[in-house]
Amino acid sequence: MFTEEKLAAVLVAEKPKYEVTPIVKLNKAYFDISVKVKAGINELHTDLTEKELTQMAQEKIEEQIRKTYQTAFKEGIDIYNLGESLYRKHPHQWKSIATGKQQLVLNQDSLRHVKVEVNIVYPGRYKLHEHGESTS
């Protein structure tokens, strides 16, 4: 993670859990994704509170999810298998909007909401504080 283009911390994320909620509006598929991940601090290069570090991690993960989606979408790839979640939960709606040989149901703005929750469970040798300055 970076603050003002300077490396702030390196976190190791493990045991991610996610939930995909498909929504169909006006014959278009949209998806809300909720991600929960446990993280450990591998390196800490700047003083951050636990809240600041958690918020930075959540923003970075959301950014990476959205960027990966857009890159894959441009190639016609359903990288997160979102179409399957629509198929499993609402097969009739999926069938009415699936197009092409690959049965894609995605559009440029299909990825609607991405909620990321990071829980720092292993601070390593770093002592993080709820408020104020952290020390390393």
Side-chain angles (χ1 to χ4, degrees):
M1 292 178 304
F2 295 90
T3 56
E4 299 172 16
E5 300 307 314
K6 180 180 146 194
L7 182 64
V10 176
L11 299 181
V12 177
E14 53 188 44
K15 298 184 181 178
K17 294 182 180 180
Y18 66 93
E19 184 178 323
V20 176
T21 305
I23 298 126
V24 175
K25 285 186 179 179
L26 302 173
N27 222 26
K28 280 187 163 186
Y30 298 95
F31 301 89
D32 293 342
I33 299 176
S34 176
V35 179
K36 292 182 180 182
V37 64
K38 295 179 180 181
I41 301 173
N42 210 13
E43 298 175 27
L44 188 61
H45 298 282
T46 186
D47 285 336
L48 294 168
T49 64
E50 182 174 0
K51 184 177 180 180
E52 291 169 330
L53 189 57
T54 300
Q55 183 176 349
M56 285 176 65
Q58 290 170 172
E59 289 170 1
K60 191 64 172 175
I61 292 170
E62 178 184 350
E63 176 187 315
Q64 289 173 347
I65 289 169
R66 289 185 181 281
K67 185 176 181 180
T68 301
Y69 173 81
Q70 290 299 326
T71 301
F73 175 78
K74 289 175 186 170
E75 299 296 321
I77 300 168
D78 183 0
I79 192 88
Y80 296 125
N81 219 9
L82 298 173
E84 182 181 358
S85 71
L86 177 61
Y87 177 78
R88 299 270 177 226
K89 293 180 182 177
H90 308 290
H92 296 294
Q93 290 179 319
W94 176 87
K95 190 173 184 176
S96 73
I97 61 176
T99 60
K101 191 167 84 173
Q102 295 176 322
Q103 301 290 296
L104 284 179
V105 296
L106 304 178
N107 55 67
Q108 186 78 27
D109 56 346
S110 282
L111 192 54
R112 205 171 69 152
H113 300 291
V114 178
K115 179 185 175 201
V116 179
E117 183 180 317
V118 173
N119 185 9
I120 298 176
V121 293
Y122 180 68
R125 61 189 175 109
Y126 305 100
K127 293 178 184 167
L128 296 174
H129 300 286
E130 288 289 325
H131 306 288
E133 295 293 313
S134 63
T135 58
S136 52

